[in-house]
Amino acid sequence: MTHLDPRDDVDVPVPALAHPGDCACALHARRRLGGALFGAGLLAALGTTPAAAAVDPDIAAECKRSGFTKVVSAEQIEQAAGQQYVQMLQQAGNQRALVSKDHNQLKRLRYIGERIVPFTLGCNERARDWRWEVNLINSSQLNAFCMPGGKIAFYAGILTKLQLDDDEVAMIMGHEIAHALLEHARERMGKTAATRGVIEIGAALLGLGNTARTAAGMGGQLLTLRFSRDDESEADALGLLLAAKAGYNPRAGVSLWKKMMTASKGAPPEWLSTHPSGTSRIAEIEARLPRAEPFYQRAAKPDQRFGPPPVKPAS
């Protein structure tokens, strides 16, 4: 099968740990239900192994994790993420919404992932032991994510509706992998715990009761949104380098977000959004291109090109 026909009736919720702050990032898993487990096997196929893969200093320079990550356990979050991913695959499987491993678009996603993963050790040593996995869900949603521990999913809608080329897919893949490497879900949990703690202590000390606690909670939510926009910018910066080093053109980040702007009309204003506005994001990406493009020019280029899914003929 070459065509994708994303379904509107598929109800496969995004796992809670898929995105920091419960966002629905449109850029932004024992037995695997139709999935490919490609950790050590992936790197071995590329002529290296997790133990031998080199740490890339350019990637390391872009990888700065928050002290808030120390509030919660990485092992526990990765274990919970794996459980949530398996549950998601079960839900998709029960609805016959997992795209077959033989489908060209899933092969495409896995090939791009295989090119990016070897560079992840430059950011996060824990990635050495992650059991990377990529699946494609036949839902019309415009979404993709990478969970803690390297669990990746794309929803078919983002490929078909935006007609993404391989470079644009790599920008999404790099961005979502960057979220996992930078441990943004773990950071968000730490920030949320700290923010709630300050709100509760302040309300108790001042004797202001539930009204003050509610108002303070609204302020805490805005603080959390600010953190989330920073997370997105960090993931964009690291994701560009990951994709460029894997041989994908970072300029595709600009064309990707122009497509996203067209598809996201009616989005909330930037200051109340968990993501930078499209225009701000494009400007930031363009400012980062002089750093990313030399890595792309020097990188080994993909020996396979797939392209967007063919448009299904009208019946």
Side-chain angles (χ1 to χ4, degrees):
M1 181 176 68
T2 58
H3 293 98
L4 270 180
D5 187 15
R7 292 164 46 193
D8 294 325
D9 63 335
V10 172
D11 182 19
V12 182
V14 175
L17 286 172
H19 290 301
D22 296 325
C23 75
C25 181
L27 249 180
H28 62 332
R30 126 179 123 220
R31 184 180 179 191
R32 307 296 180 177
L33 299 175
L37 191 63
F38 70 104
L42 175 152
L43 295 178
L46 297 177
T48 184
T49 65
V55 173
D56 190 310
D58 301 312
I59 298 297
E62 201 67 54
C63 189
K64 300 174 183 177
R65 292 195 293 282
S66 167
F68 281 100
T69 59
K70 298 178 181 178
V71 176
V72 293
S73 164
E75 291 85 354
Q76 290 178 338
I77 289 180
E78 290 170 12
Q79 181 180 18
Q83 293 171 348
Q84 290 179 11
Y85 190 79
V86 169
Q87 291 171 358
M88 180 200 71
L89 293 183
Q90 290 173 338
Q91 289 177 315
N94 290 339
Q95 299 175 61
R96 298 185 178 180
L98 275 179
V99 174
S100 166
K101 64 180 180 181
D102 297 323
H103 196 288
N104 199 49
Q105 289 300 309
L106 181 53
K107 290 180 179 179
R108 175 197 195 196
L109 295 176
R110 290 176 175 172
Y111 176 81
I112 293 171
E114 288 171 1
R115 294 191 62 84
I116 292 175
V117 164
F119 298 100
T120 60
L121 296 183
C123 181
N124 192 328
E125 181 65 21
R126 293 191 62 81
R128 189 179 300 275
D129 298 320
W130 288 357
R131 299 180 69 79
W132 295 87
E133 186 171 351
V134 179
N135 283 285
L136 177 57
I137 298 173
N138 195 29
S139 165
S140 61
Q141 293 184 52
L142 275 71
N143 213 339
F145 60 80
C146 178
M147 300 181 73
K151 307 303 184 186
I152 300 169
F154 274 65
Y155 288 69
I158 200 168
L159 301 178
T160 58
K161 293 180 181 180
L162 302 188
Q163 282 292 288
L164 301 178
D165 64 27
D166 289 8
D167 295 300
E168 291 165 339
V169 170
M171 296 305 114
I172 296 177
M173 186 85 72
H175 172 94
E176 297 301 339
I177 287 175
H179 272 310
L181 295 175
L182 293 166
E183 299 185 282
H184 283 154
R186 185 182 176 197
E187 176 186 351
R188 173 56 57 86
M189 292 177 72
K191 287 176 178 177
T192 299
T195 301
R196 286 177 178 171
V198 169
I199 291 171
E200 292 296 323
I201 292 170
L205 289 176
L206 296 174
L208 298 179
N210 290 330
T211 301
R213 188 173 290 114
T214 300
M218 293 174 64
Q221 290 173 14
L222 292 178
L223 176 63
T224 301
L225 290 175
R226 176 65 238 176
F227 286 145
S228 183
R229 290 199 294 270
D230 289 344
D231 291 347
E232 291 299 314
S233 294
E234 291 174 4
D236 278 345
L238 178 58
L240 275 180
L241 292 191
L242 289 168
K245 281 180 169 284
Y248 294 98
N249 191 341
R251 287 193 172 273
V254 175
S255 61
L256 167 66
W257 277 100
K258 286 181 178 179
K259 291 181 179 181
M260 285 300 306
M261 285 180 65
T262 300
S264 301
K265 292 178 180 179
E270 180 173 356
W271 69 279
L272 281 179
S273 171
T274 56
H275 297 156
S277 70
T279 52
S280 296
R281 197 160 208 160
I282 289 172
E284 289 182 3
I285 290 173
E286 288 177 333
R288 293 183 176 116
L289 288 178
R291 171 163 165 73
E293 287 186 317
F295 297 126
Y296 167 64
Q297 297 298 334
R298 294 193 294 267
K301 302 305 186 289
D303 58 5
Q304 294 186 57
R305 284 283 177 174
F306 296 83
V311 177
K312 186 178 180 181
S315 56

